[in-house]
Amino acid sequence: MNHFLFQMADFLSRPPGFYFVILAMAGSTALVPFGLTDVVTYALSVAAIVITSVVLIQGYRDTAAIHAKLDEIIVSMHETRNGVVGLEHEQPEHIEAAVERLETEADGQS
C-alpha cells in the first residue's frame, strides 16, 4: 500500500497530476447544472483531501531524505560529534534542549 501511495503522491505532485486534478474539478463543476451539487461537493472534498495527503507524503519523503543526507555528512566528518545523528526521532523537549546547547556552543566559538 505504501508503494502505491508514494507513486500516487509522485504523480500528483508533477504537472500531469496537477492537470488531472484540474480536469477532475472542472468535470465535477460541469455537473452542477444537472442538479448534482452533492456529487460536486463530494468530489471536490475528496480532491482537497487527496491534495493534502500528497503534500504530507512528499514532505515526509523530503524530510527523511534530508535527514539521511545530513546524518551522512555528520558521520563522515571525523571531528564532529555523532550524538546528533537520529535526533529527529527524539521527544520535542530533547530536541529543543540539544538545539539550545548547540546554539550556545556556536555563540561561544564566535
Side-chain angles (χ1 to χ4, degrees):
M1 183 68 170
N2 287 348
H3 184 67
F4 171 74
L5 291 176
F6 284 128
Q7 283 183 327
M8 187 170 76
D10 190 50
F11 171 72
L12 292 173
S13 67
R14 296 177 189 273
F18 177 78
Y19 297 137
F20 172 77
V21 170
I22 294 295
L23 287 174
M25 289 190 310
S28 296
T29 305
L31 298 175
V32 170
F34 301 107
L36 298 172
T37 306
D38 292 340
V39 173
V40 172
T41 302
Y42 175 77
L44 295 177
S45 296
V46 169
I49 292 168
V50 167
I51 290 170
T52 302
S53 299
V54 166
V55 169
L56 291 173
I57 290 170
Q58 287 298 99
Y60 167 77
R61 290 176 63 180
D62 291 345
T63 302
I66 289 170
H67 282 292
K69 291 173 185 179
L70 289 173
D71 288 348
E72 174 65 23
I73 291 169
I74 291 167
V75 170
S76 70
M77 298 178 71
H78 298 292
E79 57 274 348
T80 61
R81 296 166 294 185
N82 294 336
V84 294
V85 173
L87 188 61
E88 67 273 10
H89 302 293
E90 296 293 334
Q91 295 297 320
E93 301 83 27
H94 188 265
I95 295 171
E96 187 176 318
V99 169
E100 288 177 13
R101 179 179 47 83
L102 291 170
E103 287 176 348
T104 302
E105 288 179 21
D107 287 340
Q109 293 178 359
S110 299

